Amino acid sequence: LDAFPAERHAPVWLEAYEDSYRDDVVRKITAHRGTLPETSERPLAQVAFCIDVRSEPFRRHLEQAGPIETLGFAGFFGIPISHRGFDTDESLALCPVLLTPSNALFELPRPDQADALASYASGSRWKQFGAQLFHDLKHSPVASFLLVDALGLFFSARLLGKTMLRRPYRTLVEGLRRWFVSPVATEIDVGADTGPPPKVSGRPTELPRGVTIEEQATFVENGLRTMGLTENLGRFVVLCGHGGNSDNNPYYAALHCGACGGRPGDPNARSFAVMGNSLDVRARLAKRGLALPEDTWFLAGKHDTNSDRVTLYDVEDVPASHHDD
C-alpha cells in the first residue's frame, strides 16, 4: 500500500464502489426470481414506450395498475418519415439522425371538420396578428420601453401563476386557448398518392407522399417482430411516443425523443397505428405468417415526460366494441 501512488487511489475506489453497487442491485433482482406467477392469459393491452429512462417509472406503475404489458422500442417505431403537422410550414425528419426519411406524411383535418376549420381559421388569424404585433413592438427602439410599463402587470400575473398556482393557471390558459382558437380533429394521411401534395401551408415536400400498402405491411411486421409481439396480442396495442414541454430551456430538444431527431415521436406512433389497423395491411401480414387477432386495435399516444401526462390520439376511430376498454 505504501508503494501504491496516491494519485491512483481515486479510480480504484470508484471502481470498487461501482462493483459493490452493481452486486447489490443484481442480488436484489435475483431474489425475486420465480416470485411472479407465469400466466398465458391474454392481457388487456401491450403498451410500447420509447427505450428512454424517463419512460421507465411510468411503465412500472402502469404494469401494476392492471393486466397490461409494457415494451421498449426506439421512439420512431421503425418508421423514418418526414412529417408536416397541421397548420405548420415546415416538414421535420422524425427518425434517428443516421437515417434519411424516404416518405412524407401530412397531418390533415378530418373530413367532418369543416365548421371547426372555419372557427379555427378566424381565431388563428387573430392569434398570428397579435403575436406579430407584440413582436414588432418588443423590437421597436421606442415602443419597447412603453411595452414594459403597459404589460408588466400582466406578465407579473403570468409569472405568479406559472410559479405558485401551476395547475389552476394551466387549466385557465388551456381553456382560454380552446375558446379563442377552436381545436381541429386531425389524422395522419399514410396512403400513397401520386397526385399533388395537399393544400397545407409551406412549400411542398420533394419526397414521395404517403406509404404503399406493401411498405406499410413491412413497417408493421418489422416493428411487431422486433418487439416480440407475434402472439397473444391484447385488445389494444398502444404505441406511445414521448416528448417534453418547456417555456425557457436552451436544450429544449433534449426533452424530446432522441430516436426522432430531438422531436416528439407521436406522429410516428400515429402512423404506425393507422397502418396496423388497415385491413389491407393485416391481410398481407397474415400471408407472411403474422396473423393479428380481429379484435386487436392499434392506438397511438404521447407520454409527456415532464408532467407524466399521456394523450391518446385518434380515439374517434376506436370501434364501439372497445369503448369500455
Side-chain angles (χ1 to χ4, degrees):
L1 289 177
D2 293 338
F4 188 49
E7 63 270 12
R8 294 176 58 187
H9 287 190
V12 174
W13 281 116
L14 179 60
E15 185 174 353
Y17 173 73
E18 291 176 345
D19 286 344
S20 63
Y21 178 83
R22 182 165 50 248
D23 291 343
D24 181 58
V25 171
V26 172
R27 185 165 53 252
K28 291 178 179 178
I29 295 176
T30 306
H32 288 276
R33 181 182 296 170
T35 59
L36 293 178
E38 295 186 6
T39 176
S40 59
E41 294 183 2
R42 185 187 187 192
L44 170 64
Q46 283 102 358
V47 187
F49 288 85
C50 181
I51 46 175
D52 188 296
V53 294
R54 293 170 291 186
S55 297
E56 292 177 4
F58 195 91
R59 289 178 57 181
R60 183 173 68 251
H61 290 290
L62 183 60
E63 288 184 346
Q64 295 175 348
I68 299 173
E69 297 177 353
T70 67
L71 308 97
F73 194 41
F76 76 118
F77 298 106
I79 305 178
I81 59 174
S82 173
H83 174 262
R84 184 177 299 180
F86 170 66
D87 197 22
T88 60
D89 57 2
E90 184 180 7
S91 294
L92 303 177
L94 301 184
C95 59
V97 294
L98 297 178
L99 300 181
T100 301
S102 56
N103 305 89
L105 301 184
F106 295 85
E107 180 186 13
L108 302 175
R110 290 177 174 268
D112 59 350
Q113 294 295 298
D115 294 338
L117 268 176
S119 177
Y120 174 88
S122 176
S124 179
R125 281 196 297 267
W126 281 107
K127 180 181 177 181
Q128 292 176 7
F129 170 77
Q132 186 63 43
L133 177 62
F134 179 76
H135 177 274
D136 293 341
L137 292 175
K138 186 171 64 173
H139 288 79
S140 170
V142 178
S144 58
F145 294 99
L146 301 176
L147 192 67
V148 173
D149 294 332
L151 300 181
L153 182 61
F154 295 97
F155 279 100
S156 299
R158 181 187 182 193
L159 178 63
L160 177 64
K162 295 170 70 172
T163 306
M164 307 298 295
L165 305 168
R166 289 178 293 176
R167 288 189 178 182
Y169 176 81
R170 177 186 175 90
T171 302
L172 176 63
V173 171
E174 289 296 330
L176 290 175
R177 182 180 292 115
R178 288 180 172 271
W179 172 78
F180 191 71
V181 182
S182 300
V184 177
T186 62
E187 60 185 359
I188 302 291
D189 182 17
V190 301
D193 189 356
T194 58
K199 293 181 179 180
V200 294
S201 59
R203 294 174 295 180
T205 178
E206 297 178 356
L207 296 173
R209 177 189 167 196
V211 186
T212 66
I213 295 297
E214 287 296 331
E215 290 176 319
Q216 293 181 36
T218 299
F219 282 142
V220 175
E221 179 185 15
N222 291 343
L224 293 179
R225 292 193 185 279
T226 301
M227 290 185 286
L229 274 179
T230 57
E231 58 184 9
N232 200 32
L233 274 70
R235 287 173 62 79
F236 284 105
V237 173
V238 184
L239 294 311
C240 197
H242 75 98
N245 65 81
S246 174
D247 290 320
N248 186 19
N249 191 334
Y251 304 104
Y252 184 58
L255 302 177
H256 293 320
C257 178
C260 296
R263 302 179 179 95
D266 44 301
N268 303 72
R270 295 178 72 183
S271 302
F272 193 109
V274 173
M275 297 176 188
N277 291 326
S278 168
L279 296 180
D280 293 333
V281 169
R282 295 194 176 201
R284 283 165 173 76
L285 292 178
K287 294 180 180 179
R288 302 180 185 184
L290 185 57
L292 304 182
E294 293 184 0
D295 63 343
T296 292
W297 187 261
F298 289 84
L299 192 60
K302 176 186 176 182
H303 176 210
D304 187 326
T305 51
N306 289 90
S307 63
D308 267 345
R309 292 184 176 91
V310 171
T311 303
L312 297 178
Y313 293 97
D314 303 317
V315 292
E316 303 94 331
D317 299 327
V318 176
S321 59
H322 288 58
H323 282 181
D324 291 340
D325 298 315

